[in-house]
Amino acid sequence: MNETSSKQNLKASTRQLATVIDLNKCMGCQSCTVACKNLWTQRPGTEHMRWANVGTYPGRGYPRDWQSKGGGYDEDGNSKPGKLINLVEAGDNFQFNHDEVFNQQKGQSAHLQPSTSKGNKPEWGYNWDEDQTSGDWPNAFFFYLPRKCNHCSNAPCIDACSRNAISKREDGIVLIDQERCTGHRHCVEACPYGMVYYNPSTGRSEKCIECFPRVEQSIAPACNRQCVGRTRAYGYLDDKRSQVYKLIYEWKVALPLHPEYGTEPNVYYVPPMSTFSYDDEGRLTDEMRIPMDVLEEYFGPVVNGALETLVTERQKKKDGESSELMDILISRHWEDRFAEFTNEPI
Amino acid sequence: MKVELRSMEAALLLDGRGSAWSGIEETVLPLSPSPIALTESVSPYMAKTSGHGKIKKIHVRMTHNGRMFSMRLSWDDPEKDNEISDLDEFSDAVSIMFPLANGATAFTMGSADKPVNAWLWKAGNQEPFDVFAEGYATSTRRPAKISGLKASDSHRDGTWVVVLQRPMSVGGQEMVQIEPGTDTSIAIAVWEGSNKERSAQKAVSGEFKSVKVDA
Ligand code: HEM
Ligand code: SF4
Ligand code: SF4
């Protein structure tokens, strides 16, 4: 076995788990972020990590400016250089002067304020640009973009690891072997989604583990299960009965984020339909507020067809007709969304 | 190069700037950037990077007292990188590699049937690592205690002095044995933390060089 074929082996899997997130329903509540943080990133050295995270777009995203960090592949499949992520970009771990304000009776003179983990005034942080909008009044727009590791089918983090410490499991979950990792961070540079984080306490890199101990017990990952907006579906890509399959392959309304990165990501998004715009006279038009070029930048040109389908199916419901697609997206019973992953967390 | 026999207490040599080291022959080895393109199959991302190999030479002194092998490595480095305070920082490091089989090459870090043993000092770490490798991507860090490897370091006036010390003969598998009167070979690598050097991004002394071990 030569080394190239060993990378192919590390990337291989028999099945692939996937998440679908409906951006029309995400309300930016960060329950997914918190669900993940409570479970996995409260250990020393993980304070800055948000394996599950939600950004407001337009905005600089999380980690900051991840869309210009590089990594991934070009059209010919060649690796593209990428950047490391520093603590500020990763959202840091703000400290607050609770003691000063609450215990030292300085409530009148001292104000509650964050400082960075290095003791400075924050210049940026996690969710810094929440609800920042784009577009001109009265046609302002924004949308939330919840993210996590995409457990890519062609994962550049696996290619980049000079120690072959990253691999895909049979179910498609991509994991960093904490025993083999020595924290060289080539994976951090290679992941174009910015989803690998360095742990300075252990000297190793970490990322979303897709809640594999839950998944093994047929419990959906915490970010998906805890989503109060019921935005998320979960299951195997080849499970024809799953909502994941129906939304991605039958209805073709769930799209990978930045497919041009060439990594074949496995988190899919139902694009936001957005509010209609007003014209100069203040009359409501049937023009969507989020410009198509913004959405194309995220999802590619296929987003046009997906939105058309969504609008058509929504109209059917409005007209009192039935729509299987809308019924899936409404998701009356949470169990319907998670295929076989409906067991209760213990 | 040679390992001079001196009947000196090994503990004294752990002071890299102490007088115990004066008079022991010093060799200056030129270093050059590692041929990083060779790592294409283990990391196409790393293989395309450039600008590594910032450290250009290293001063080497070696001695033994029949039981303990001691090596003093020093190099100019105005930036001391021993504390990782951000996610994009790396520490300085140095390593010396020995072949464990005839024909093992330093440029490949050994191969499946021709392994190598390396000692790795990393600034800021309590202890050095004893590394075993059979080619790129295969290296395994083992705790220093498996071979009794020790290290000390000091950074002063823009210079690192690192001492690595290990019993000449060790019981364990996959570790180099150093015998008085029998030649050995070494290759050296230096990583400059401030230049974000790690794994193949380093300066190397070239292919294994023969070293005479005085009897
Ligand atoms: C000539 C003397 C050399 C020495 C003493 C040496 C030593 C080492 C050591 C100790 C490690 C492990 C680092 C760690 O655990 O953090 C390592 C990693 C690595 N080295 Fe070398 N190396 C040498 C030459 C080379 C050359 C010429 C290349 C290729 C151009 C190379 C490629 C790599 C790669 C890809 C890794 C990361 C994968 C791994 O950790 O197994 N090395 N080297
Ligand atoms: S999103 Fe990044 S970390 Fe996750 S599998 Fe893809 S390349 Fe690897
Ligand atoms: S929990 Fe659901 S609704 Fe809330 S931010 Fe996350 S994806 Fe959006």
Side-chain angles (χ1 to χ4, degrees), chain B residues 33-71:
Chain B
S34 79
I36 202 145
L38 296 178
T39 63
E40 172 72 24
S41 61
V42 290
S43 180
Y45 287 87
M46 178 172 64
K48 278 184 201 146
T49 61
S50 56
H52 62 283
K54 207 171 165 200
I55 305 299
K56 300 298 179 200
K57 59 178 200 270
I58 188 158
H59 302 246
V60 186
R61 295 184 209 177
M62 290 176 282
T63 181
H64 78 86
N65 63 6
R67 289 177 316 278
M68 197 65 95
F69 170 85
S70 303
M71 170 169 214

mmCIF file of all heavy atoms in Angstrom, chain B residues 33-71:
data_model
loop_
_atom_site.group_PDB
_atom_site.id
_atom_site.type_symbol
_atom_site.label_atom_id
_atom_site.label_comp_id
_atom_site.label_asym_id
_atom_site.label_seq_id
_atom_site.Cartn_x
_atom_site.Cartn_y
_atom_site.Cartn_z
ATOM 1 N N PRO B 33 16.818 23.899 4.332
ATOM 2 C CA PRO B 33 15.382 23.589 4.416
ATOM 3 C C PRO B 33 15.120 22.158 3.961
ATOM 4 O O PRO B 33 15.735 21.703 2.992
ATOM 5 C CB PRO B 33 14.751 24.586 3.434
ATOM 6 C CG PRO B 33 15.757 25.684 3.298
ATOM 7 C CD PRO B 33 17.093 25.050 3.472
ATOM 8 N N SER B 34 14.245 21.446 4.659
ATOM 9 C CA SER B 34 13.966 20.060 4.276
ATOM 10 C C SER B 34 13.353 20.033 2.876
ATOM 11 O O SER B 34 12.669 20.976 2.479
ATOM 12 C CB SER B 34 12.995 19.430 5.265
ATOM 13 O OG SER B 34 11.691 19.873 4.965
ATOM 14 N N PRO B 35 13.619 18.969 2.123
ATOM 15 C CA PRO B 35 13.028 18.851 0.766
ATOM 16 C C PRO B 35 11.546 18.519 0.867
ATOM 17 O O PRO B 35 11.118 17.388 0.690
ATOM 18 C CB PRO B 35 13.826 17.705 0.158
ATOM 19 C CG PRO B 35 14.281 16.890 1.323
ATOM 20 C CD PRO B 35 14.435 17.809 2.493
ATOM 21 N N ILE B 36 10.769 19.552 1.166
ATOM 22 C CA ILE B 36 9.382 19.339 1.616
ATOM 23 C C ILE B 36 8.479 18.734 0.536
ATOM 24 O O ILE B 36 7.504 18.052 0.842
ATOM 25 C CB ILE B 36 8.805 20.665 2.148
ATOM 26 C CG1 ILE B 36 7.634 20.391 3.090
ATOM 27 C CG2 ILE B 36 8.392 21.607 1.018
ATOM 28 C CD1 ILE B 36 7.537 21.342 4.216
ATOM 29 N N ALA B 37 8.816 18.948 -0.738
ATOM 30 C CA ALA B 37 7.977 18.405 -1.813
ATOM 31 C C ALA B 37 7.886 16.881 -1.727
ATOM 32 O O ALA B 37 6.917 16.284 -2.215
ATOM 33 C CB ALA B 37 8.522 18.828 -3.167
ATOM 34 N N LEU B 38 8.861 16.261 -1.055
ATOM 35 C CA LEU B 38 8.840 14.801 -0.911
ATOM 36 C C LEU B 38 7.638 14.316 -0.092
ATOM 37 O O LEU B 38 7.325 13.138 -0.114
ATOM 38 C CB LEU B 38 10.119 14.312 -0.216
ATOM 39 C CG LEU B 38 11.460 14.518 -0.940
ATOM 40 C CD1 LEU B 38 12.603 14.013 -0.072
ATOM 41 C CD2 LEU B 38 11.434 13.777 -2.281
ATOM 42 N N THR B 39 6.999 15.233 0.619
ATOM 43 C CA THR B 39 5.896 14.805 1.487
ATOM 44 C C THR B 39 4.529 14.908 0.809
ATOM 45 O O THR B 39 3.502 14.772 1.478
ATOM 46 C CB THR B 39 5.866 15.634 2.792
ATOM 47 O OG1 THR B 39 5.616 17.008 2.461
ATOM 48 C CG2 THR B 39 7.171 15.540 3.547
ATOM 49 N N GLU B 40 4.512 15.107 -0.497
ATOM 50 C CA GLU B 40 3.254 15.258 -1.256
ATOM 51 C C GLU B 40 2.207 14.202 -0.869
ATOM 52 O O GLU B 40 1.041 14.517 -0.670
ATOM 53 C CB GLU B 40 3.576 15.191 -2.756
ATOM 54 C CG GLU B 40 2.355 15.140 -3.690
ATOM 55 C CD GLU B 40 1.609 16.474 -3.779
ATOM 56 O OE1 GLU B 40 2.227 17.523 -3.527
ATOM 57 O OE2 GLU B 40 0.396 16.432 -4.090
ATOM 58 N N SER B 41 2.629 12.955 -0.759
ATOM 59 C CA SER B 41 1.633 11.915 -0.505
ATOM 60 C C SER B 41 1.155 11.878 0.947
ATOM 61 O O SER B 41 0.078 11.358 1.221
ATOM 62 C CB SER B 41 2.160 10.543 -0.910
ATOM 63 O OG SER B 41 3.300 10.250 -0.150
ATOM 64 N N VAL B 42 1.924 12.414 1.880
ATOM 65 C CA VAL B 42 1.428 12.432 3.261
ATOM 66 C C VAL B 42 0.716 13.726 3.613
ATOM 67 O O VAL B 42 -0.116 13.763 4.513
ATOM 68 C CB VAL B 42 2.507 12.154 4.333
ATOM 69 C CG1 VAL B 42 2.945 10.720 4.289
ATOM 70 C CG2 VAL B 42 3.673 13.091 4.213
ATOM 71 N N SER B 43 1.046 14.802 2.918
ATOM 72 C CA SER B 43 0.314 16.054 3.103
ATOM 73 C C SER B 43 0.536 16.986 1.932
ATOM 74 O O SER B 43 1.473 17.775 1.923
ATOM 75 C CB SER B 43 0.711 16.765 4.396
ATOM 76 O OG SER B 43 -0.024 17.969 4.508
ATOM 77 N N PRO B 44 -0.352 16.884 0.917
ATOM 78 C CA PRO B 44 -0.202 17.776 -0.240
ATOM 79 C C PRO B 44 -0.237 19.239 0.179
ATOM 80 O O PRO B 44 0.350 20.085 -0.488
ATOM 81 C CB PRO B 44 -1.384 17.418 -1.130
ATOM 82 C CG PRO B 44 -2.331 16.654 -0.272
ATOM 83 C CD PRO B 44 -1.508 16.000 0.785
ATOM 84 N N TYR B 45 -0.920 19.513 1.298
ATOM 85 C CA TYR B 45 -1.000 20.898 1.765
ATOM 86 C C TYR B 45 0.361 21.371 2.235
ATOM 87 O O TYR B 45 0.839 22.432 1.846
ATOM 88 C CB TYR B 45 -2.046 21.029 2.885
ATOM 89 C CG TYR B 45 -3.435 20.930 2.314
ATOM 90 C CD1 TYR B 45 -4.051 19.693 2.141
ATOM 91 C CD2 TYR B 45 -4.103 22.066 1.893
ATOM 92 C CE1 TYR B 45 -5.304 19.607 1.574
ATOM 93 C CE2 TYR B 45 -5.365 21.991 1.328
ATOM 94 C CZ TYR B 45 -5.959 20.756 1.170
ATOM 95 O OH TYR B 45 -7.195 20.661 0.595
ATOM 96 N N MET B 46 0.991 20.570 3.076
ATOM 97 C CA MET B 46 2.299 20.952 3.601
ATOM 98 C C MET B 46 3.350 20.943 2.490
ATOM 99 O O MET B 46 4.225 21.810 2.453
ATOM 100 C CB MET B 46 2.712 19.977 4.703
ATOM 101 C CG MET B 46 4.082 20.263 5.272
ATOM 102 S SD MET B 46 4.405 19.250 6.701
ATOM 103 C CE MET B 46 4.391 17.610 5.982
ATOM 104 N N ALA B 47 3.248 19.976 1.576
ATOM 105 C CA ALA B 47 4.270 19.818 0.542
ATOM 106 C C ALA B 47 4.430 21.067 -0.310
ATOM 107 O O ALA B 47 5.490 21.303 -0.885
ATOM 108 C CB ALA B 47 3.936 18.615 -0.341
ATOM 109 N N LYS B 48 3.349 21.861 -0.395
ATOM 110 C CA LYS B 48 3.410 23.051 -1.252
ATOM 111 C C LYS B 48 3.889 24.293 -0.517
ATOM 112 O O LYS B 48 4.014 25.354 -1.112
ATOM 113 C CB LYS B 48 2.023 23.334 -1.812
ATOM 114 C CG LYS B 48 1.719 22.490 -3.026
ATOM 115 C CD LYS B 48 0.378 22.877 -3.619
ATOM 116 C CE LYS B 48 -0.144 21.747 -4.477
ATOM 117 N NZ LYS B 48 -1.599 21.657 -4.417
ATOM 118 N N THR B 49 4.124 24.173 0.779
ATOM 119 C CA THR B 49 4.527 25.368 1.524
ATOM 120 C C THR B 49 6.009 25.650 1.292
ATOM 121 O O THR B 49 6.766 24.781 0.876
ATOM 122 C CB THR B 49 4.257 25.221 3.039
ATOM 123 O OG1 THR B 49 5.010 24.117 3.536
ATOM 124 C CG2 THR B 49 2.776 25.001 3.314
ATOM 125 N N SER B 50 6.402 26.890 1.565
ATOM 126 C CA SER B 50 7.811 27.244 1.413
ATOM 127 C C SER B 50 8.188 28.205 2.532
ATOM 128 O O SER B 50 7.344 28.618 3.320
ATOM 129 C CB SER B 50 8.044 27.889 0.054
ATOM 130 O OG SER B 50 7.189 29.003 -0.084
ATOM 131 N N GLY B 51 9.438 28.546 2.602
ATOM 132 C CA GLY B 51 9.874 29.527 3.601
ATOM 133 C C GLY B 51 10.303 28.902 4.917
ATOM 134 O O GLY B 51 10.594 29.610 5.877
ATOM 135 N N HIS B 52 10.355 27.557 4.969
ATOM 136 C CA HIS B 52 10.790 26.903 6.207
ATOM 137 C C HIS B 52 12.311 26.756 6.207
ATOM 138 O O HIS B 52 12.970 27.024 5.208
ATOM 139 C CB HIS B 52 10.118 25.539 6.331
ATOM 140 C CG HIS B 52 10.486 24.605 5.208
ATOM 141 N ND1 HIS B 52 9.933 24.726 3.955
ATOM 142 C CD2 HIS B 52 11.386 23.600 5.126
ATOM 143 C CE1 HIS B 52 10.464 23.804 3.165
ATOM 144 N NE2 HIS B 52 11.344 23.117 3.856
ATOM 145 N N GLY B 53 12.834 26.294 7.328
ATOM 146 C CA GLY B 53 14.283 26.072 7.423
ATOM 147 C C GLY B 53 15.038 27.351 7.743
ATOM 148 O O GLY B 53 16.038 27.689 7.116
ATOM 149 N N LYS B 54 14.527 28.067 8.735
ATOM 150 C CA LYS B 54 15.096 29.372 9.048
ATOM 151 C C LYS B 54 16.474 29.258 9.725
ATOM 152 O O LYS B 54 17.322 30.123 9.552
ATOM 153 C CB LYS B 54 14.122 30.123 9.967
ATOM 154 C CG LYS B 54 14.245 31.625 9.849
ATOM 155 C CD LYS B 54 13.127 32.318 10.594
ATOM 156 C CE LYS B 54 13.443 33.791 10.801
ATOM 157 N NZ LYS B 54 12.643 34.365 11.897
ATOM 158 N N ILE B 55 16.658 28.212 10.504
ATOM 159 C CA ILE B 55 17.939 28.053 11.210
ATOM 160 C C ILE B 55 18.973 27.458 10.249
ATOM 161 O O ILE B 55 18.716 26.458 9.590
ATOM 162 C CB ILE B 55 17.760 27.157 12.461
ATOM 163 C CG1 ILE B 55 16.661 27.720 13.377
ATOM 164 C CG2 ILE B 55 19.086 26.999 13.208
ATOM 165 C CD1 ILE B 55 16.922 29.107 13.925
ATOM 166 N N LYS B 56 20.119 28.108 10.150
ATOM 167 C CA LYS B 56 21.095 27.759 9.114
ATOM 168 C C LYS B 56 22.257 26.912 9.597
ATOM 169 O O LYS B 56 22.963 26.308 8.791
ATOM 170 C CB LYS B 56 21.645 29.043 8.465
ATOM 171 C CG LYS B 56 20.563 29.905 7.811
ATOM 172 C CD LYS B 56 19.865 29.158 6.679
ATOM 173 C CE LYS B 56 18.777 30.010 6.050
ATOM 174 N NZ LYS B 56 17.797 29.207 5.313
ATOM 175 N N LYS B 57 22.528 26.893 10.878
ATOM 176 C CA LYS B 57 23.601 26.014 11.351
ATOM 177 C C LYS B 57 23.425 25.664 12.817
ATOM 178 O O LYS B 57 22.745 26.372 13.569
ATOM 179 C CB LYS B 57 24.970 26.652 11.119
ATOM 180 C CG LYS B 57 25.197 27.985 11.789
ATOM 181 C CD LYS B 57 26.626 28.440 11.491
ATOM 182 C CE LYS B 57 27.111 29.469 12.476
ATOM 183 N NZ LYS B 57 26.884 30.846 12.194
ATOM 184 N N ILE B 58 24.048 24.548 13.189
ATOM 185 C CA ILE B 58 23.935 24.074 14.562
ATOM 186 C C ILE B 58 25.306 23.599 15.055
ATOM 187 O O ILE B 58 26.071 23.006 14.293
ATOM 188 C CB ILE B 58 22.855 22.968 14.679
ATOM 189 C CG1 ILE B 58 22.610 22.613 16.147
ATOM 190 C CG2 ILE B 58 23.219 21.723 13.866
ATOM 191 C CD1 ILE B 58 21.260 21.976 16.387
ATOM 192 N N HIS B 59 25.612 23.905 16.306
ATOM 193 C CA HIS B 59 26.890 23.510 16.918
ATOM 194 C C HIS B 59 26.644 22.244 17.724
ATOM 195 O O HIS B 59 25.743 22.205 18.560
ATOM 196 C CB HIS B 59 27.405 24.612 17.848
ATOM 197 C CG HIS B 59 27.603 25.925 17.151
ATOM 198 N ND1 HIS B 59 28.858 26.487 16.978
ATOM 199 C CD2 HIS B 59 26.733 26.770 16.562
ATOM 200 C CE1 HIS B 59 28.721 27.634 16.317
ATOM 201 N NE2 HIS B 59 27.452 27.830 16.059
ATOM 202 N N VAL B 60 27.498 21.229 17.483
ATOM 203 C CA VAL B 60 27.277 19.927 18.106
ATOM 204 C C VAL B 60 28.514 19.488 18.880
ATOM 205 O O VAL B 60 29.630 19.534 18.358
ATOM 206 C CB VAL B 60 26.977 18.859 17.025
ATOM 207 C CG1 VAL B 60 26.599 17.531 17.667
ATOM 208 C CG2 VAL B 60 25.867 19.331 16.086
ATOM 209 N N ARG B 61 28.312 19.059 20.128
ATOM 210 C CA ARG B 61 29.388 18.432 20.905
ATOM 211 C C ARG B 61 28.832 17.146 21.494
ATOM 212 O O ARG B 61 27.676 17.120 21.942
ATOM 213 C CB ARG B 61 29.852 19.337 22.057
ATOM 214 C CG ARG B 61 30.498 20.617 21.592
ATOM 215 C CD ARG B 61 31.019 21.400 22.788
ATOM 216 N NE ARG B 61 31.008 22.825 22.495
ATOM 217 C CZ ARG B 61 31.360 23.768 23.358
ATOM 218 N NH1 ARG B 61 31.747 23.433 24.582
ATOM 219 N NH2 ARG B 61 31.326 25.036 23.028
ATOM 220 N N MET B 62 29.670 16.105 21.470
ATOM 221 C CA MET B 62 29.199 14.816 22.001
ATOM 222 C C MET B 62 30.275 14.182 22.867
ATOM 223 O O MET B 62 31.460 14.247 22.540
ATOM 224 C CB MET B 62 28.851 13.862 20.844
ATOM 225 C CG MET B 62 27.608 14.285 20.075
ATOM 226 S SD MET B 62 27.279 13.234 18.649
ATOM 227 C CE MET B 62 28.469 13.844 17.476
ATOM 228 N N THR B 63 29.824 13.573 23.931
ATOM 229 C CA THR B 63 30.773 12.884 24.811
ATOM 230 C C THR B 63 30.073 11.710 25.483
ATOM 231 O O THR B 63 28.835 11.639 25.523
ATOM 232 C CB THR B 63 31.343 13.864 25.871
ATOM 233 O OG1 THR B 63 32.280 13.165 26.680
ATOM 234 C CG2 THR B 63 30.242 14.431 26.758
ATOM 235 N N HIS B 64 30.904 10.765 25.951
ATOM 236 C CA HIS B 64 30.326 9.673 26.758
ATOM 237 C C HIS B 64 31.317 9.274 27.841
ATOM 238 O O HIS B 64 32.519 9.571 27.740
ATOM 239 C CB HIS B 64 29.945 8.485 25.878
ATOM 240 C CG HIS B 64 31.096 7.618 25.451
ATOM 241 N ND1 HIS B 64 31.560 6.589 26.228
ATOM 242 C CD2 HIS B 64 31.876 7.644 24.342
ATOM 243 C CE1 HIS B 64 32.576 5.994 25.589
ATOM 244 N NE2 HIS B 64 32.786 6.622 24.440
ATOM 245 N N ASN B 65 30.810 8.636 28.871
ATOM 246 C CA ASN B 65 31.684 8.191 29.964
ATOM 247 C C ASN B 65 31.635 6.680 30.128
ATOM 248 O O ASN B 65 31.896 6.145 31.192
ATOM 249 C CB ASN B 65 31.304 8.906 31.272
ATOM 250 C CG ASN B 65 29.888 8.559 31.711
ATOM 251 O OD1 ASN B 65 29.228 7.706 31.102
ATOM 252 N ND2 ASN B 65 29.414 9.211 32.763
ATOM 253 N N GLY B 66 31.257 5.998 29.041
ATOM 254 C CA GLY B 66 31.175 4.536 29.097
ATOM 255 C C GLY B 66 29.767 4.060 29.398
ATOM 256 O O GLY B 66 29.360 2.993 28.970
ATOM 257 N N ARG B 67 28.997 4.876 30.101
ATOM 258 C CA ARG B 67 27.614 4.483 30.428
ATOM 259 C C ARG B 67 26.596 5.452 29.837
ATOM 260 O O ARG B 67 25.563 5.059 29.341
ATOM 261 C CB ARG B 67 27.424 4.463 31.961
ATOM 262 C CG ARG B 67 28.133 3.350 32.677
ATOM 263 C CD ARG B 67 27.941 3.477 34.185
ATOM 264 N NE ARG B 67 28.116 4.856 34.661
ATOM 265 C CZ ARG B 67 29.315 5.441 34.916
ATOM 266 N NH1 ARG B 67 30.401 4.757 34.771
ATOM 267 N NH2 ARG B 67 29.404 6.697 35.320
ATOM 268 N N MET B 68 26.950 6.737 29.907
ATOM 269 C CA MET B 68 25.987 7.765 29.503
ATOM 270 C C MET B 68 26.506 8.520 28.284
ATOM 271 O O MET B 68 27.680 8.894 28.233
ATOM 272 C CB MET B 68 25.786 8.726 30.675
ATOM 273 C CG MET B 68 24.565 9.594 30.578
ATOM 274 S SD MET B 68 23.038 8.658 30.633
ATOM 275 C CE MET B 68 22.652 8.766 32.375
ATOM 276 N N PHE B 69 25.627 8.709 27.308
ATOM 277 C CA PHE B 69 25.935 9.489 26.119
ATOM 278 C C PHE B 69 25.331 10.875 26.304
ATOM 279 O O PHE B 69 24.163 11.001 26.682
ATOM 280 C CB PHE B 69 25.332 8.806 24.892
ATOM 281 C CG PHE B 69 25.376 9.628 23.633
ATOM 282 C CD1 PHE B 69 26.499 9.631 22.815
ATOM 283 C CD2 PHE B 69 24.273 10.390 23.245
ATOM 284 C CE1 PHE B 69 26.523 10.394 21.640
ATOM 285 C CE2 PHE B 69 24.292 11.148 22.086
ATOM 286 C CZ PHE B 69 25.424 11.146 21.282
ATOM 287 N N SER B 70 26.124 11.917 26.067
ATOM 288 C CA SER B 70 25.618 13.285 26.231
ATOM 289 C C SER B 70 25.897 14.078 24.973
ATOM 290 O O SER B 70 26.963 13.924 24.359
ATOM 291 C CB SER B 70 26.298 13.990 27.404
ATOM 292 O OG SER B 70 26.114 13.269 28.585
ATOM 293 N N MET B 71 24.961 14.917 24.627
ATOM 294 C CA MET B 71 25.093 15.688 23.401
ATOM 295 C C MET B 71 24.662 17.124 23.690
ATOM 296 O O MET B 71 23.628 17.352 24.324
ATOM 297 C CB MET B 71 24.148 15.047 22.399
ATOM 298 C CG MET B 71 23.954 15.817 21.150
ATOM 299 S SD MET B 71 23.086 14.745 20.039
ATOM 300 C CE MET B 71 23.801 15.261 18.523
#
